[in-house]
PDB file of all heavy atoms in Angstrom:
ATOM      1  N   ALA B1350     -40.173  15.542  21.215  1.00 95.00           N
ATOM      2  CA  ALA B1350     -40.355  16.979  20.985  1.00 95.00           C
ATOM      3  C   ALA B1350     -41.799  17.354  21.359  1.00 95.00           C
ATOM      4  O   ALA B1350     -42.750  16.602  21.226  1.00 95.00           O
ATOM      5  CB  ALA B1350     -40.130  17.242  19.492  1.00 95.00           C
ATOM      6  N   ARG B1351     -41.936  18.524  21.899  1.00 96.00           N
ATOM      7  CA  ARG B1351     -43.274  19.026  22.356  1.00 96.00           C
ATOM      8  C   ARG B1351     -43.274  20.491  22.373  1.00 96.00           C
ATOM      9  O   ARG B1351     -42.167  21.163  22.564  1.00 96.00           O
ATOM     10  CB  ARG B1351     -43.637  18.429  23.714  1.00 96.00           C
ATOM     11  CG  ARG B1351     -42.723  18.881  24.855  1.00 96.00           C
ATOM     12  CD  ARG B1351     -42.270  17.621  25.664  1.00 96.00           C
ATOM     13  NE  ARG B1351     -41.334  18.078  26.710  1.00 96.00           N
ATOM     14  CZ  ARG B1351     -39.997  17.763  26.681  1.00 96.00           C
ATOM     15  NH1 ARG B1351     -39.474  17.140  25.638  1.00 96.00           N
ATOM     16  NH2 ARG B1351     -39.272  18.162  27.588  1.00 96.00           N
ATOM     17  N   VAL B1352     -44.400  21.056  22.293  1.00 96.00           N
ATOM     18  CA  VAL B1352     -44.644  22.514  22.370  1.00 96.00           C
ATOM     19  C   VAL B1352     -44.654  22.931  23.770  1.00 96.00           C
ATOM     20  O   VAL B1352     -45.140  22.164  24.698  1.00 96.00           O
ATOM     21  CB  VAL B1352     -45.951  22.940  21.658  1.00 96.00           C
ATOM     22  CG1 VAL B1352     -46.276  24.365  21.937  1.00 96.00           C
ATOM     23  CG2 VAL B1352     -45.884  22.664  20.199  1.00 96.00           C
ATOM     24  N   SER B1353     -43.985  24.054  24.060  1.00 95.00           N
ATOM     25  CA  SER B1353     -43.946  24.569  25.435  1.00 95.00           C
ATOM     26  C   SER B1353     -43.784  26.020  25.414  1.00 95.00           C
ATOM     27  O   SER B1353     -43.348  26.632  24.409  1.00 95.00           O
ATOM     28  CB  SER B1353     -42.762  23.908  26.138  1.00 95.00           C
ATOM     29  OG  SER B1353     -42.532  24.474  27.390  1.00 95.00           O
ATOM     30  N   THR B1354     -44.105  26.636  26.500  1.00 95.00           N
ATOM     31  CA  THR B1354     -43.786  28.101  26.640  1.00 95.00           C
ATOM     32  C   THR B1354     -42.304  28.166  26.936  1.00 95.00           C
ATOM     33  O   THR B1354     -41.750  27.250  27.486  1.00 95.00           O
ATOM     34  CB  THR B1354     -44.569  28.808  27.719  1.00 95.00           C
ATOM     35  OG1 THR B1354     -44.606  28.004  28.853  1.00 95.00           O
ATOM     36  CG2 THR B1354     -46.010  29.059  27.282  1.00 95.00           C
ATOM     37  N   MET B1355     -41.705  29.313  26.732  1.00 88.00           N
ATOM     38  CA  MET B1355     -40.322  29.523  27.168  1.00 88.00           C
ATOM     39  C   MET B1355     -40.342  29.481  28.717  1.00 88.00           C
ATOM     40  O   MET B1355     -41.290  29.874  29.268  1.00 88.00           O
ATOM     41  CB  MET B1355     -39.869  30.902  26.664  1.00 88.00           C
ATOM     42  CG  MET B1355     -39.794  30.929  25.114  1.00 88.00           C
ATOM     43  SD  MET B1355     -38.583  29.716  24.476  1.00 88.00           S
ATOM     44  CE  MET B1355     -38.783  29.924  22.716  1.00 88.00           C
ATOM     45  N   PRO B1356     -39.180  29.101  29.299  1.00 87.00           N
ATOM     46  CA  PRO B1356     -39.082  28.987  30.733  1.00 87.00           C
ATOM     47  C   PRO B1356     -39.673  30.259  31.467  1.00 87.00           C
ATOM     48  O   PRO B1356     -39.272  31.378  31.020  1.00 87.00           O
ATOM     49  CB  PRO B1356     -37.668  28.807  31.053  1.00 87.00           C
ATOM     50  CG  PRO B1356     -37.145  28.159  29.755  1.00 87.00           C
ATOM     51  CD  PRO B1356     -37.910  28.716  28.676  1.00 87.00           C
ATOM     52  N   ASN B1357     -40.457  30.115  32.430  1.00 89.00           N
ATOM     53  CA  ASN B1357     -41.008  31.072  33.273  1.00 89.00           C
ATOM     54  C   ASN B1357     -41.840  32.090  32.453  1.00 89.00           C
ATOM     55  O   ASN B1357     -41.998  33.252  32.929  1.00 89.00           O
ATOM     56  CB  ASN B1357     -39.874  31.911  33.974  1.00 89.00           C
ATOM     57  CG  ASN B1357     -39.068  30.974  34.854  1.00 89.00           C
ATOM     58  OD1 ASN B1357     -39.675  30.118  35.524  1.00 89.00           O
ATOM     59  ND2 ASN B1357     -37.819  31.179  34.886  1.00 89.00           N
ATOM     60  N   ARG B1358     -42.319  31.692  31.367  1.00 91.00           N
ATOM     61  CA  ARG B1358     -43.218  32.624  30.612  1.00 91.00           C
ATOM     62  C   ARG B1358     -44.546  32.004  30.358  1.00 91.00           C
ATOM     63  O   ARG B1358     -44.680  30.778  30.229  1.00 91.00           O
ATOM     64  CB  ARG B1358     -42.620  33.000  29.262  1.00 91.00           C
ATOM     65  CG  ARG B1358     -41.557  34.093  29.444  1.00 91.00           C
ATOM     66  CD  ARG B1358     -41.151  34.641  28.110  1.00 91.00           C
ATOM     67  NE  ARG B1358     -42.101  35.533  27.549  1.00 91.00           N
ATOM     68  CZ  ARG B1358     -41.976  36.186  26.329  1.00 91.00           C
ATOM     69  NH1 ARG B1358     -40.882  35.898  25.722  1.00 91.00           N
ATOM     70  NH2 ARG B1358     -42.864  36.968  25.882  1.00 91.00           N
ATOM     71  N   LYS B1359     -45.547  32.823  30.294  1.00 94.00           N
ATOM     72  CA  LYS B1359     -46.827  32.374  29.917  1.00 94.00           C
ATOM     73  C   LYS B1359     -47.225  32.869  28.605  1.00 94.00           C
ATOM     74  O   LYS B1359     -46.582  33.827  28.125  1.00 94.00           O
ATOM     75  CB  LYS B1359     -47.898  32.967  30.967  1.00 94.00           C
ATOM     76  CG  LYS B1359     -47.877  32.219  32.283  1.00 94.00           C
ATOM     77  CD  LYS B1359     -48.841  31.059  32.237  1.00 94.00           C
ATOM     78  CE  LYS B1359     -48.775  30.317  33.586  1.00 94.00           C
ATOM     79  NZ  LYS B1359     -49.438  29.009  33.431  1.00 94.00           N
ATOM     80  N   LEU B1360     -48.131  32.225  27.955  1.00 95.00           N
ATOM     81  CA  LEU B1360     -48.623  32.767  26.686  1.00 95.00           C
ATOM     82  C   LEU B1360     -49.420  34.024  27.018  1.00 95.00           C
ATOM     83  O   LEU B1360     -50.445  33.946  27.669  1.00 95.00           O
ATOM     84  CB  LEU B1360     -49.531  31.738  25.995  1.00 95.00           C
ATOM     85  CG  LEU B1360     -50.031  32.031  24.604  1.00 95.00           C
ATOM     86  CD1 LEU B1360     -48.994  32.280  23.665  1.00 95.00           C
ATOM     87  CD2 LEU B1360     -50.896  30.863  24.119  1.00 95.00           C
ATOM     88  N   SER B1361     -48.854  35.237  26.584  1.00 94.00           N
ATOM     89  CA  SER B1361     -49.561  36.401  27.037  1.00 94.00           C
ATOM     90  C   SER B1361     -49.399  37.466  25.951  1.00 94.00           C
ATOM     91  O   SER B1361     -48.502  38.258  25.962  1.00 94.00           O
ATOM     92  CB  SER B1361     -48.980  36.907  28.368  1.00 94.00           C
ATOM     93  OG  SER B1361     -47.635  37.113  28.128  1.00 94.00           O
ATOM     94  N   ASN B1362     -50.244  37.412  24.960  1.00 95.00           N
ATOM     95  CA  ASN B1362     -50.300  38.502  23.998  1.00 95.00           C
ATOM     96  C   ASN B1362     -51.728  38.735  23.653  1.00 95.00           C
ATOM     97  O   ASN B1362     -52.545  37.833  23.833  1.00 95.00           O
ATOM     98  CB  ASN B1362     -49.421  38.224  22.853  1.00 95.00           C
ATOM     99  CG  ASN B1362     -49.858  37.148  21.914  1.00 95.00           C
ATOM    100  OD1 ASN B1362     -50.919  37.334  21.248  1.00 95.00           O
ATOM    101  ND2 ASN B1362     -49.240  36.016  21.953  1.00 95.00           N
ATOM    102  N   PRO B1363     -52.077  39.921  23.185  1.00 96.00           N
ATOM    103  CA  PRO B1363     -53.577  40.197  23.014  1.00 96.00           C
ATOM    104  C   PRO B1363     -54.214  39.335  21.920  1.00 96.00           C
ATOM    105  O   PRO B1363     -55.415  39.391  21.716  1.00 96.00           O
ATOM    106  CB  PRO B1363     -53.490  41.637  22.560  1.00 96.00           C
ATOM    107  CG  PRO B1363     -52.160  42.199  22.905  1.00 96.00           C
ATOM    108  CD  PRO B1363     -51.223  41.028  22.923  1.00 96.00           C
ATOM    109  N   TYR B1364     -53.400  38.509  21.191  1.00 97.00           N
ATOM    110  CA  TYR B1364     -53.970  37.702  20.131  1.00 97.00           C
ATOM    111  C   TYR B1364     -53.746  36.209  20.380  1.00 97.00           C
ATOM    112  O   TYR B1364     -53.908  35.348  19.524  1.00 97.00           O
ATOM    113  CB  TYR B1364     -53.354  38.091  18.784  1.00 97.00           C
ATOM    114  CG  TYR B1364     -53.596  39.546  18.417  1.00 97.00           C
ATOM    115  CD1 TYR B1364     -52.749  40.575  18.850  1.00 97.00           C
ATOM    116  CD2 TYR B1364     -54.721  39.874  17.722  1.00 97.00           C
ATOM    117  CE1 TYR B1364     -53.003  41.925  18.519  1.00 97.00           C
ATOM    118  CE2 TYR B1364     -54.962  41.212  17.383  1.00 97.00           C
ATOM    119  CZ  TYR B1364     -54.146  42.222  17.819  1.00 97.00           C
ATOM    120  OH  TYR B1364     -54.387  43.466  17.468  1.00 97.00           O
ATOM    121  N   ALA B1365     -53.342  35.923  21.643  1.00 97.00           N
ATOM    122  CA  ALA B1365     -52.953  34.547  21.928  1.00 97.00           C
ATOM    123  C   ALA B1365     -53.930  33.459  21.546  1.00 97.00           C
ATOM    124  O   ALA B1365     -53.575  32.394  21.089  1.00 97.00           O
ATOM    125  CB  ALA B1365     -52.598  34.434  23.450  1.00 97.00           C
ATOM    126  N   MET B1366     -55.237  33.674  21.698  1.00 97.00           N
ATOM    127  CA  MET B1366     -56.215  32.614  21.510  1.00 97.00           C
ATOM    128  C   MET B1366     -56.330  32.186  20.097  1.00 97.00           C
ATOM    129  O   MET B1366     -56.949  31.169  19.766  1.00 97.00           O
ATOM    130  CB  MET B1366     -57.584  33.000  22.168  1.00 97.00           C
ATOM    131  CG  MET B1366     -57.545  33.015  23.594  1.00 97.00           C
ATOM    132  SD  MET B1366     -59.192  33.524  24.263  1.00 97.00           S
ATOM    133  CE  MET B1366     -60.162  32.050  24.137  1.00 97.00           C
ATOM    134  N   ASN B1367     -55.747  32.912  19.141  1.00 97.00           N
ATOM    135  CA  ASN B1367     -55.714  32.475  17.738  1.00 97.00           C
ATOM    136  C   ASN B1367     -55.014  31.134  17.602  1.00 97.00           C
ATOM    137  O   ASN B1367     -55.273  30.399  16.634  1.00 97.00           O
ATOM    138  CB  ASN B1367     -55.040  33.516  16.832  1.00 97.00           C
ATOM    139  CG  ASN B1367     -55.969  34.695  16.665  1.00 97.00           C
ATOM    140  OD1 ASN B1367     -57.036  34.619  16.094  1.00 97.00           O
ATOM    141  ND2 ASN B1367     -55.493  35.909  17.073  1.00 97.00           N
ATOM    142  N   VAL B1368     -54.112  30.773  18.513  1.00 97.00           N
ATOM    143  CA  VAL B1368     -53.431  29.442  18.373  1.00 97.00           C
ATOM    144  C   VAL B1368     -54.421  28.351  18.474  1.00 97.00           C
ATOM    145  O   VAL B1368     -54.173  27.226  17.984  1.00 97.00           O
ATOM    146  CB  VAL B1368     -52.237  29.360  19.395  1.00 97.00           C
ATOM    147  CG1 VAL B1368     -51.168  30.369  19.177  1.00 97.00           C
ATOM    148  CG2 VAL B1368     -52.763  29.338  20.821  1.00 97.00           C
ATOM    149  N   ILE B1369     -55.512  28.618  19.144  1.00 97.00           N
ATOM    150  CA  ILE B1369     -56.536  27.485  19.336  1.00 97.00           C
ATOM    151  C   ILE B1369     -57.171  27.216  17.982  1.00 97.00           C
ATOM    152  O   ILE B1369     -57.341  26.053  17.616  1.00 97.00           O
ATOM    153  CB  ILE B1369     -57.666  27.952  20.287  1.00 97.00           C
ATOM    154  CG1 ILE B1369     -57.032  28.171  21.701  1.00 97.00           C
ATOM    155  CG2 ILE B1369     -58.777  26.965  20.357  1.00 97.00           C
ATOM    156  CD1 ILE B1369     -57.854  29.033  22.629  1.00 97.00           C
ATOM    157  N   ASP B1370     -57.431  28.230  17.200  1.00 96.00           N
ATOM    158  CA  ASP B1370     -58.042  28.012  15.788  1.00 96.00           C
ATOM    159  C   ASP B1370     -56.903  27.485  14.971  1.00 96.00           C
ATOM    160  O   ASP B1370     -57.219  26.664  14.055  1.00 96.00           O
ATOM    161  CB  ASP B1370     -58.532  29.328  15.223  1.00 96.00           C
ATOM    162  CG  ASP B1370     -59.445  30.133  16.170  1.00 96.00           C
ATOM    163  OD1 ASP B1370     -60.342  29.474  16.755  1.00 96.00           O
ATOM    164  OD2 ASP B1370     -59.197  31.312  16.331  1.00 96.00           O
ATOM    165  N   LEU B1371     -55.727  27.947  15.094  1.00 97.00           N
ATOM    166  CA  LEU B1371     -54.609  27.492  14.215  1.00 97.00           C
ATOM    167  C   LEU B1371     -54.355  26.013  14.469  1.00 97.00           C
ATOM    168  O   LEU B1371     -54.018  25.287  13.502  1.00 97.00           O
ATOM    169  CB  LEU B1371     -53.314  28.287  14.431  1.00 97.00           C
ATOM    170  CG  LEU B1371     -53.349  29.723  13.936  1.00 97.00           C
ATOM    171  CD1 LEU B1371     -52.110  30.432  14.426  1.00 97.00           C
ATOM    172  CD2 LEU B1371     -53.351  29.702  12.398  1.00 97.00           C
ATOM    173  N   CYS B1372     -54.463  25.583  15.665  1.00 97.00           N
ATOM    174  CA  CYS B1372     -54.154  24.153  15.974  1.00 97.00           C
ATOM    175  C   CYS B1372     -55.115  23.269  15.243  1.00 97.00           C
ATOM    176  O   CYS B1372     -56.333  23.358  15.425  1.00 97.00           O
ATOM    177  CB  CYS B1372     -54.249  23.905  17.487  1.00 97.00           C
ATOM    178  SG  CYS B1372     -53.821  22.243  17.953  1.00 97.00           S
ATOM    179  N   PRO B1373     -54.543  22.387  14.337  1.00 97.00           N
ATOM    180  CA  PRO B1373     -55.448  21.588  13.517  1.00 97.00           C
ATOM    181  C   PRO B1373     -56.090  20.423  14.359  1.00 97.00           C
ATOM    182  O   PRO B1373     -56.939  19.691  13.883  1.00 97.00           O
ATOM    183  CB  PRO B1373     -54.570  21.073  12.429  1.00 97.00           C
ATOM    184  CG  PRO B1373     -53.218  21.109  12.960  1.00 97.00           C
ATOM    185  CD  PRO B1373     -53.147  22.202  13.999  1.00 97.00           C
TER     186      PRO B1373
END
Side-chain angles (χ1 to χ4, degrees):
Chain B
R1351 63 230 177 251
V1352 170
S1353 169
T1354 46
M1355 294 298 176
N1357 301 320
R1358 281 191 76 180
K1359 284 273 179 194
L1360 183 59
S1361 57
N1362 69 70
Y1364 299 90
M1366 287 177 81
N1367 286 300
V1368 297
I1369 297 162
D1370 310 312
L1371 286 172
C1372 182

